[in-house]
Short mmCIF file of all heavy atoms in Angstrom, two decimals:
data_model
loop_
_atom_site.label_atom_id
_atom_site.label_comp_id
_atom_site.label_asym_id
_atom_site.label_seq_id
_atom_site.Cartn_x
_atom_site.Cartn_y
_atom_site.Cartn_z
N ILE C 10 8.53 11.08 -12.90
CA ILE C 10 9.70 10.35 -13.47
C ILE C 10 9.28 8.89 -13.62
O ILE C 10 8.96 8.22 -12.65
CB ILE C 10 10.91 10.47 -12.52
CG1 ILE C 10 11.25 11.96 -12.29
CG2 ILE C 10 12.12 9.73 -13.12
CD1 ILE C 10 12.34 12.19 -11.25
N GLY C 11 9.23 8.43 -14.86
CA GLY C 11 8.78 7.06 -15.15
C GLY C 11 7.30 7.11 -15.51
O GLY C 11 6.44 7.32 -14.66
N THR C 12 7.00 6.91 -16.80
CA THR C 12 5.60 7.00 -17.24
C THR C 12 5.19 5.74 -17.98
O THR C 12 4.67 5.78 -19.08
CB THR C 12 5.39 8.24 -18.15
OG1 THR C 12 6.36 8.19 -19.19
CG2 THR C 12 5.52 9.54 -17.36
N GLY C 13 5.45 4.59 -17.32
CA GLY C 13 5.05 3.30 -17.89
C GLY C 13 3.63 2.98 -17.49
O GLY C 13 2.76 3.86 -17.42
N HIS C 14 3.38 1.73 -17.13
CA HIS C 14 2.03 1.28 -16.82
C HIS C 14 1.36 2.15 -15.74
O HIS C 14 0.26 2.66 -15.92
CB HIS C 14 2.05 -0.18 -16.38
CG HIS C 14 0.74 -0.64 -15.85
ND1 HIS C 14 -0.34 -0.88 -16.68
CD2 HIS C 14 0.31 -0.81 -14.58
CE1 HIS C 14 -1.36 -1.23 -15.92
NE2 HIS C 14 -1.00 -1.19 -14.65
N LEU C 15 2.02 2.32 -14.60
CA LEU C 15 1.40 3.06 -13.50
C LEU C 15 1.61 4.57 -13.63
O LEU C 15 0.73 5.37 -13.29
CB LEU C 15 1.95 2.55 -12.15
CG LEU C 15 1.26 3.06 -10.91
CD1 LEU C 15 -0.25 2.76 -10.93
CD2 LEU C 15 1.86 2.47 -9.65
N GLY C 16 2.81 4.95 -14.15
CA GLY C 16 3.13 6.39 -14.24
C GLY C 16 2.11 7.17 -15.05
O GLY C 16 1.82 8.34 -14.74
N TYR C 35 9.43 12.76 -17.35
CA TYR C 35 10.70 12.25 -17.86
C TYR C 35 10.66 10.72 -17.79
O TYR C 35 10.26 10.15 -16.78
CB TYR C 35 11.89 12.78 -17.04
CG TYR C 35 13.17 12.07 -17.41
CD1 TYR C 35 13.84 12.39 -18.60
CD2 TYR C 35 13.66 11.02 -16.62
CE1 TYR C 35 14.99 11.68 -18.97
CE2 TYR C 35 14.81 10.33 -17.00
CZ TYR C 35 15.47 10.66 -18.17
OH TYR C 35 16.58 9.97 -18.55
N ASP C 36 11.07 10.09 -18.88
CA ASP C 36 11.20 8.61 -18.90
C ASP C 36 12.44 8.27 -19.71
O ASP C 36 12.71 8.94 -20.73
CB ASP C 36 9.93 7.99 -19.54
CG ASP C 36 9.83 6.49 -19.29
OD1 ASP C 36 10.71 5.73 -19.80
OD2 ASP C 36 8.89 6.05 -18.61
N VAL C 37 13.22 7.28 -19.26
CA VAL C 37 14.42 6.91 -20.02
C VAL C 37 14.09 6.40 -21.43
O VAL C 37 14.96 6.39 -22.29
CB VAL C 37 15.29 5.84 -19.33
CG1 VAL C 37 16.16 6.43 -18.25
CG2 VAL C 37 14.48 4.67 -18.83
N ASN C 38 12.87 5.95 -21.60
CA ASN C 38 12.45 5.43 -22.91
C ASN C 38 11.73 6.56 -23.68
O ASN C 38 10.59 6.90 -23.39
CB ASN C 38 11.53 4.24 -22.68
CG ASN C 38 11.01 3.64 -23.97
OD1 ASN C 38 11.23 4.21 -25.05
ND2 ASN C 38 10.34 2.52 -23.87
N GLN C 41 8.20 5.98 -24.97
CA GLN C 41 7.16 6.00 -23.95
C GLN C 41 6.80 7.47 -23.61
O GLN C 41 5.65 7.84 -23.48
CB GLN C 41 7.63 5.25 -22.69
CG GLN C 41 6.60 5.07 -21.62
CD GLN C 41 5.37 4.29 -22.07
OE1 GLN C 41 5.41 3.60 -23.07
NE2 GLN C 41 4.28 4.46 -21.34
N VAL C 70 7.96 6.81 -10.48
CA VAL C 70 7.18 5.61 -10.86
C VAL C 70 8.03 4.75 -11.81
O VAL C 70 7.54 4.25 -12.82
CB VAL C 70 5.83 6.03 -11.49
CG1 VAL C 70 4.81 4.89 -11.33
CG2 VAL C 70 5.26 7.28 -10.87
N THR C 71 9.28 4.61 -11.43
CA THR C 71 10.24 3.82 -12.21
C THR C 71 10.32 2.42 -11.58
O THR C 71 9.81 2.20 -10.48
CB THR C 71 11.61 4.50 -12.16
OG1 THR C 71 12.01 4.62 -10.80
CG2 THR C 71 11.57 5.88 -12.80
N PRO C 72 11.00 1.46 -12.24
CA PRO C 72 11.14 0.13 -11.61
C PRO C 72 11.81 0.25 -10.24
O PRO C 72 12.66 1.13 -10.02
CB PRO C 72 12.03 -0.63 -12.60
CG PRO C 72 11.80 0.07 -13.91
CD PRO C 72 11.60 1.51 -13.59
N THR C 73 11.44 -0.67 -9.33
CA THR C 73 11.87 -0.58 -7.93
C THR C 73 13.39 -0.45 -7.77
O THR C 73 13.87 0.32 -6.93
CB THR C 73 11.35 -1.81 -7.18
OG1 THR C 73 9.93 -1.83 -7.32
CG2 THR C 73 11.71 -1.77 -5.70
N THR C 75 15.44 1.15 -9.29
CA THR C 75 15.97 2.50 -9.58
C THR C 75 15.48 3.53 -8.57
O THR C 75 15.93 4.68 -8.60
CB THR C 75 15.53 2.96 -11.00
OG1 THR C 75 14.09 3.08 -11.00
CG2 THR C 75 15.94 1.99 -12.09
N HIS C 76 14.54 3.16 -7.68
CA HIS C 76 13.92 4.17 -6.78
C HIS C 76 14.97 4.96 -5.99
O HIS C 76 14.88 6.19 -5.88
CB HIS C 76 12.95 3.50 -5.80
CG HIS C 76 11.67 3.04 -6.44
ND1 HIS C 76 10.69 2.38 -5.75
CD2 HIS C 76 11.21 3.12 -7.71
CE1 HIS C 76 9.69 2.09 -6.55
NE2 HIS C 76 9.99 2.51 -7.76
N VAL C 79 17.13 7.44 -8.10
CA VAL C 79 16.34 8.57 -8.63
C VAL C 79 15.89 9.48 -7.47
O VAL C 79 16.05 10.71 -7.52
CB VAL C 79 15.10 8.04 -9.42
CG1 VAL C 79 14.18 9.19 -9.81
CG2 VAL C 79 15.54 7.27 -10.64
N GLU C 93 6.71 5.21 -5.61
CA GLU C 93 5.81 4.03 -5.70
C GLU C 93 6.36 2.90 -4.82
O GLU C 93 7.53 2.85 -4.49
CB GLU C 93 5.66 3.58 -7.16
CG GLU C 93 4.40 4.09 -7.81
CD GLU C 93 3.13 3.81 -7.01
OE1 GLU C 93 3.08 2.82 -6.25
OE2 GLU C 93 2.16 4.58 -7.14
N LYS C 94 5.49 2.01 -4.41
CA LYS C 94 5.89 0.91 -3.54
C LYS C 94 6.58 -0.20 -4.33
O LYS C 94 6.25 -0.38 -5.48
CB LYS C 94 4.71 0.38 -2.74
CG LYS C 94 3.63 -0.30 -3.63
CD LYS C 94 3.60 -1.76 -3.63
CE LYS C 94 4.08 -2.54 -4.73
NZ LYS C 94 3.50 -3.45 -5.55
N PRO C 95 7.49 -0.98 -3.77
CA PRO C 95 8.10 -0.78 -2.47
C PRO C 95 9.09 0.39 -2.51
O PRO C 95 9.60 0.70 -3.57
CB PRO C 95 8.84 -2.09 -2.21
CG PRO C 95 9.01 -2.72 -3.55
CD PRO C 95 7.96 -2.18 -4.46
N GLY C 120 3.87 4.78 -2.09
CA GLY C 120 2.59 4.43 -2.73
C GLY C 120 1.96 3.12 -2.28
O GLY C 120 1.58 2.30 -3.12
N ILE C 122 -0.94 1.98 -1.78
CA ILE C 122 -2.26 2.48 -2.16
C ILE C 122 -3.40 1.82 -1.39
O ILE C 122 -4.45 2.43 -1.15
CB ILE C 122 -2.43 2.25 -3.68
CG1 ILE C 122 -3.66 2.95 -4.23
CG2 ILE C 122 -2.43 0.77 -4.05
CD1 ILE C 122 -3.64 3.05 -5.74
N ARG C 153 4.13 -8.23 -15.55
CA ARG C 153 4.44 -7.07 -14.71
C ARG C 153 4.61 -7.45 -13.26
O ARG C 153 3.82 -8.23 -12.71
CB ARG C 153 3.37 -5.99 -14.84
CG ARG C 153 3.58 -5.12 -16.07
CD ARG C 153 2.69 -3.93 -16.10
NE ARG C 153 1.30 -4.24 -15.95
CZ ARG C 153 0.61 -4.11 -14.83
NH1 ARG C 153 1.18 -3.61 -13.76
NH2 ARG C 153 -0.64 -4.44 -14.77
N HIS C 166 1.84 -5.08 0.23
CA HIS C 166 0.62 -4.27 0.46
C HIS C 166 -0.02 -4.66 1.79
O HIS C 166 -0.43 -3.83 2.58
CB HIS C 166 -0.43 -4.55 -0.63
CG HIS C 166 -0.15 -3.87 -1.93
ND1 HIS C 166 -0.18 -2.50 -2.06
CD2 HIS C 166 0.11 -4.37 -3.16
CE1 HIS C 166 0.06 -2.19 -3.32
NE2 HIS C 166 0.24 -3.29 -4.02
P1 NAD F 14 6.70 -0.09 -16.00
O1 NAD F 14 7.85 -0.92 -16.39
O2 NAD F 14 5.41 -0.23 -16.74
O3 NAD F 14 7.12 1.46 -16.06
C1 NAD F 14 8.33 1.95 -15.59
C2 NAD F 14 8.78 3.11 -16.50
O4 NAD F 14 9.95 3.69 -15.93
C3 NAD F 14 9.14 2.68 -17.92
O5 NAD F 14 8.45 3.49 -18.85
C4 NAD F 14 10.65 2.85 -17.99
O6 NAD F 14 11.11 3.24 -19.28
C5 NAD F 14 10.86 3.97 -16.98
N1 NAD F 14 12.21 4.00 -16.38
C6 NAD F 14 13.03 2.98 -16.05
N2 NAD F 14 14.14 3.45 -15.43
C7 NAD F 14 14.00 4.79 -15.38
C8 NAD F 14 14.82 5.83 -14.88
N3 NAD F 14 15.99 5.58 -14.27
N4 NAD F 14 14.41 7.12 -15.03
C9 NAD F 14 13.23 7.38 -15.64
N5 NAD F 14 12.41 6.45 -16.15
C10 NAD F 14 12.79 5.16 -16.00
O7 NAD F 14 6.49 -0.35 -14.43
P2 NAD F 14 5.19 -0.06 -13.54
O8 NAD F 14 4.31 -1.25 -13.52
O9 NAD F 14 4.60 1.27 -13.96
O10 NAD F 14 5.86 0.04 -12.08
C11 NAD F 14 6.58 1.17 -11.66
C12 NAD F 14 6.69 1.18 -10.14
O11 NAD F 14 5.36 1.24 -9.60
C13 NAD F 14 7.35 -0.06 -9.53
O12 NAD F 14 8.10 0.32 -8.40
C14 NAD F 14 6.17 -0.91 -9.08
O13 NAD F 14 6.48 -1.76 -7.98
C15 NAD F 14 5.17 0.16 -8.68
N6 NAD F 14 3.78 -0.32 -8.79
C16 NAD F 14 2.97 -0.08 -7.74
C17 NAD F 14 1.65 -0.50 -7.80
C18 NAD F 14 0.74 -0.21 -6.64
O14 NAD F 14 -0.23 -0.95 -6.46
N7 NAD F 14 0.97 0.82 -5.88
C19 NAD F 14 1.15 -1.15 -8.93
C20 NAD F 14 2.02 -1.34 -10.00
C21 NAD F 14 3.34 -0.92 -9.92
#
Side-chain angles (χ1 to χ4, degrees):
I10 303 174
T12 52
H14 171 75
L15 189 56
Y35 169 77
D36 194 295
V37 280
N38 178 352
Q41 186 60 18
V70 204
T71 58
T73 303
T75 65
H76 288 178
V79 173
E93 262 308 333
K94 66 103 254 239
I122 190 166
R153 276 190 307 101
H166 282 295

